Amino acid sequence: MLKNWVVVPTCLPLVLRRCHACASERFRASGRFRVNANHKLIDAWLLALCTACGETAKLTVLERMNVRSVRPELLDRLHDNDPGLTGELLQDPVVQRRNRIALDWDDAWRLDTGGSDHLDREVIDVSVRFAARIPVRPVRLIAEGCGLSRAEVDRLVTEGKLVSAVRLSGKLSGDFTFTLKR
Ligand SMILES: [Zn+2]
């Protein structure tokens, strides 16, 4: 029996970055952008607020770009504080590298298993898809999706009853499959 599970974001991840004002390490995206056009050059930032003291951090989205080289659709979304754009930009590897940020996805996702009718099957094949690149340990997903404890999942791996082409104990943020035999 093949099951499809999906790891889906439920809200925006926090931004991991040190606050210059209070040394906290987490920011929450404000959902707002600041755009500054100077002659033909444009800068744009995504504004984030320190979760501890409220200090604003500006994450660079565009840096001294020629206005004509920026897609008009992107400009519109920046000016409109488009709600979906924040999530897209936070997950953009270029934006992450440029601002030296990482994301904290704790409590910002859920596992959608499409029901629990698989739990009493002897053998199940599960295909897990990630709707966003959310780093999670497969053993944790399997425990949650199959209603097992982490210790039970570890035992099934040791006994060869839970198999996958990926390392189930490490963190993963891309699609994988596994087979569980009981
Ligand atoms: Zn702070």
Side-chain angles (χ1 to χ4, degrees):
M1 183 193 194
L2 177 67
K3 291 288 296 182
N4 293 295
W5 292 0
V6 191
V7 177
V8 282
T10 52
C11 60
L12 290 175
L14 293 180
V15 176
L16 294 173
R17 184 187 214 247
R18 181 173 286 276
C19 174
H20 293 303
C22 78
S24 160
E25 291 181 346
R26 278 172 177 71
F27 282 77
R28 189 182 307 282
S30 70
R32 297 182 61 81
F33 299 93
R34 182 170 300 162
V35 180
N36 186 11
N38 188 356
H39 300 294
K40 288 178 183 138
L41 298 178
I42 186 167
D43 290 284
W45 301 271
L46 187 165
L47 305 181
L49 305 173
C50 173
T51 55
C53 75
E55 175 84 358
T56 302
K58 297 198 300 183
L59 306 179
T60 302
V61 177
L62 301 174
E63 194 168 26
R64 298 188 73 70
M65 292 271 289
N66 190 307
V67 176
R68 282 154 66 182
S69 67
V70 181
R71 280 178 295 121
E73 179 234 12
L74 175 61
L75 281 181
D76 286 345
R77 296 179 79 193
L78 287 167
H79 283 297
D80 294 345
N81 294 311
D82 180 303
L85 185 59
T86 295
E88 287 172 33
L89 290 171
L90 287 179
Q91 292 176 66
D92 183 338
V94 176
V95 173
Q96 292 184 9
R97 266 199 307 277
R98 177 183 281 158
N99 293 284
R100 295 195 186 87
I101 57 165
L103 302 178
D104 175 0
W105 281 100
D106 284 1
D107 304 320
W109 59 272
R110 69 183 162 78
L111 175 66
D112 194 343
T113 61
S116 56
D117 56 321
H118 58 289
L119 294 179
D120 52 353
R121 303 285 178 135
E122 272 182 31
V123 180
I124 52 167
D125 289 300
V126 179
S127 162
V128 184
R129 191 171 65 77
F130 286 72
R133 294 187 57 78
I134 301 170
V136 190
R137 288 182 204 287
V139 285
R140 180 176 165 192
L141 291 179
I142 295 165
E144 186 179 327
C146 295
L148 300 167
S149 69
R150 282 288 296 273
E152 286 171 310
V153 173
D154 289 341
R155 183 177 53 78
L156 290 165
V157 172
T158 309
E159 292 174 354
K161 292 176 176 169
L162 178 54
V163 292
S164 174
V166 302
R167 205 163 61 84
L168 295 172
S169 57
K171 280 201 175 179
L172 210 70
S173 56
D175 303 357
F176 70 97
T177 58
F178 69 89
T179 301
L180 173 62
K181 298 175 198 147
R182 285 194 257 203

